[in-house]
Every structure is written in C-alpha cells, then in structure tokens.
Amino acid sequence: MARGYKRHDLPLSANLAPQGGKRRPGRPYPPDPKIWFNGIFIKENDLPRSFPAWRMATLGGVFTEFHALRTQPRFFADYYAWLTEAAAIAMLPPLANVTEQAVYEACVSILNKNMLFNDALLRLSIFPTPSPNSFSDETMASSILLEAYNMGRMGFAPRTRGLLVRVLEDCTKALNRRSNVQWLADPAEWISQRILKDNLWGDHLLLNSAGRVTNAIGGMIYCLIGNDIITPSLSEGVRFDPIRPYVDEACIAATGKRPLTLQELETASEVFLASSANGIESVLGVNDSRYPIALSNTICDKLNRIYFPELFL
C-alpha cells in the first residue's frame, strides 16, 4: 500500500489484493490411502474387494497386526516370523520373490505415503490367489497385503478404563493347532462385531469344545489367581498373539499356562486382556458378575509402560 493513502481511499481491487508479507501455509490435504499389494503400492479403492474370487481367496488367509510409531514398525522381526509360521500351519503356498527386508521397507514407505507419523496400526496378510503364471484356476499362489491405519492418538492408551466381557455362546474354538492362527475370515469375530453394535459390552470371550476358556475376540486373557498369573495354554485353542512373550517377560509374578475354567475366571483377583493392537486392557466383569474393585488398572499401566516404553517418555 502506498504511503499517505488509507485503505478506503484505494479502489476495491486494491483492498482485496493480497498485501505484502509471508502467507501462512495451509495444511496439506490428506493423501489417498495406499496399500502395498504383492510389491506394488496402489490406492486402497483400487483393490477388488467386492469380487467373489477375492472373497473366496481371503477365506483361507492369515494375518497379524503390529504397532508402529513415528514411521518405524515395532518388533517387526518377531511378527513377521509368526506370520510365516501361521501361513505354513494354514498350508498356504510359499511366497515368491518377497524377503523380510522388502516387507520392512514397505512398512516404512506406506507409513510415510499415508502421512501416519504418530501411532499407527499395521496389518500384514497372506492369502491364496490364482497363480498369474498358470492357465488354470487350480494352481494357487500366495499374495501378501500390507495395510496401515491411524490409531487416532498420540501416545499409547487403552481403549477404555475397563472392559465388560461376555461369553459368545454362538461360537466355540476347536482344540487343534489351526486355532492358534489369526484368520482373515473368522466367523466368531464377524458375529461378535454385529452383536456388540447393539449393546454396551466391550468384548466377547470364546470357549473351546471342552467348555474351557480360550481367548477374547480382542486379545489373549490373563487372570491373577493367588500369586500366579494364569493364561490358557496354546493347546486349548488360543489364538496366538506375538505380544505373548513380552507379557511373560513383563509380568512380575510367575506366568502359568494351563487350562482355565470359566468359574476360575469369574473368581479371579484381577483379569486383563493383551493384544498387539490395544496393549494391556483391564477387565471389569465377565458375564453377569462384576469384580468388586477397579481391577488391573495398576498392573495394566505397568505392563503398558514396559511394552511401550518410548510412548511414556
């Protein structure tokens, strides 16, 4: 603006014209979500999820979820080792031209491409698809899929201050090794998600064919009985989560692995869930019984600080 003139003395175009000085930069638009599919980054909407062939392929797929902080996946080697073992249990074809280092670099790249610079959840899946090098649909090959989701928080915190857990009577776990695998098409999880929409329950508890406790939909279950922390053994049909050895190392009391009945769980001193996605979460009650005090909040905080030390600095 010229010296000696006021704003109302200038033409309208001059009043609306940008004045001198630095312009405040605007926030960048969030990018289109991208996924990593068989070594190629594509947009999430470009994946043919609605095709029947895709639905049939994911029925036999396995997955694992792990936490990422500041574009760095945490404990990646342990989770990738378990995923490859789960794929072998599911008798999936071996992956071709995919190395652990390539998947790790893809995890870092997808976090940067999607601008997930705080807490993020990575989901790595392996499932069978028709081989592109064959003329027959009977020849199958394994495909790998990497997805990244924003946790919506800065610093780790459990979903709630306590969960109410109910037994899911419509589904039971089989007593075999395949029950330890995280399946992409899990009917128990599908039923649980639709039931939980209509009530205030936080999670569902699964029993095996013998009527004993296995795990919750959202994680493995631990309870304090006397001076020991008890969790069902893998032979009880527990869905394995790679956070399990870290909980064993973090627990002050001895961790015992043995069959657990529902009556023991209802009369335990403290109960909590452990999962890679949500960490350690306290349980306030099972079915119609409620624990008399705010259970597991202290032990959950201690275990979370051990499992996520960099988030509590």
Side-chain angles (χ1 to χ4, degrees):
M1 184 179 296
R3 185 184 298 273
Y5 287 88
K6 297 182 180 181
R7 180 177 293 273
H8 61 269
D9 295 330
L10 296 177
L12 182 61
S13 59
N15 291 331
L16 299 179
Q19 304 301 319
K22 294 183 178 180
R23 178 180 177 272
R24 183 179 178 181
R27 295 178 62 88
Y29 291 101
D32 294 331
K34 292 183 174 58
I35 59 177
W36 188 73
F37 180 63
N38 285 341
I40 302 175
F41 287 99
I42 61 176
K43 293 183 179 180
E44 185 177 7
N45 295 331
D46 294 340
L47 195 65
R49 297 179 185 269
S50 59
F51 286 94
W54 173 266
R55 298 292 185 182
M56 293 298 296
T58 55
L59 288 177
V62 298
F63 76 96
T64 186
E65 293 178 335
F66 50 98
H67 185 256
L69 177 66
R70 302 184 184 95
T71 69
Q72 294 297 323
R74 305 176 68 251
F75 309 113
F76 172 78
D78 297 336
Y79 285 86
Y80 185 79
W82 161 245
L83 181 63
T84 55
E85 181 180 351
I89 296 175
M91 296 185 292
L92 297 178
L95 290 170
N97 302 324
V98 176
T99 62
E100 180 179 345
Q101 182 63 27
V103 179
Y104 178 84
E105 294 176 358
C107 293
V108 178
S109 298
I110 198 172
L111 292 171
N112 283 282
K113 289 179 179 294
N114 292 335
M115 300 177 63
L116 301 177
F117 302 132
N118 295 328
D119 287 2
L121 180 67
L122 293 172
R123 183 185 178 101
L124 188 61
S125 309
I126 298 178
F127 48 88
T129 54
S131 176
N133 300 324
S134 175
F135 294 100
S136 174
D137 293 338
E138 297 180 357
T139 305
M140 305 299 291
S142 289
S143 297
I144 187 167
L145 174 65
L146 176 63
E147 302 168 280
Y149 302 98
N150 187 13
M151 300 287 285
R153 62 195 180 204
M154 181 58 182
F156 183 83
R159 289 179 295 181
T160 59
R161 293 296 180 181
L163 297 174
L164 295 177
V165 180
R166 182 181 181 183
V167 175
L168 186 61
E169 300 177 353
D170 296 335
C171 297
T172 57
K173 298 289 291 289
L175 296 175
N176 55 45
R177 195 182 179 197
R178 294 192 177 186
S179 299
N180 304 142
V181 177
Q182 293 179 325
W183 297 95
L184 282 173
D186 189 356
E189 183 175 0
W190 185 86
I191 295 173
S192 176
Q193 290 178 353
R194 278 146 184 80
I195 295 178
L196 292 178
K197 291 181 179 180
D198 301 328
N199 53 52
L200 300 178
W201 296 97
D203 209 333
H204 276 120
L205 186 68
L206 295 176
L207 305 179
N208 57 25
S209 57
R212 297 188 294 266
V213 176
T214 56
N215 57 266
I217 297 294
M220 296 176 297
I221 193 159
Y222 292 80
C223 62
L224 180 62
I225 300 178
N227 295 324
D228 297 331
I229 295 180
I230 305 299
T231 184
S233 57
L234 295 181
S235 60
E236 293 291 298
V238 175
R239 190 183 69 176
F240 179 80
D241 193 304
I243 197 178
R244 189 180 182 96
Y246 297 103
V247 175
D248 296 342
E249 296 176 3
C251 286
I252 301 175
T255 304
K257 300 177 179 62
R258 63 171 178 82
L260 182 66
T261 63
L262 185 59
Q263 290 74 18
E264 290 178 318
L265 186 65
E266 293 176 346
T267 58
S269 300
E270 296 187 9
V271 179
F272 60 91
L273 302 181
S275 66
S276 298
N278 298 295
I280 316 298
E281 301 175 289
S282 63
V283 175
L284 300 181
V286 177
N287 286 345
D288 295 329
S289 63
R290 299 293 182 270
Y291 298 112
I293 57 176
L295 300 176
S296 302
N297 286 334
T298 302
I299 191 171
C300 286
D301 183 68
K302 291 181 180 179
L303 292 177
N304 283 322
R305 288 179 181 274
I306 295 174
Y307 184 66
F308 300 99
E310 64 272 21
L311 299 180
F312 289 89
L313 297 179

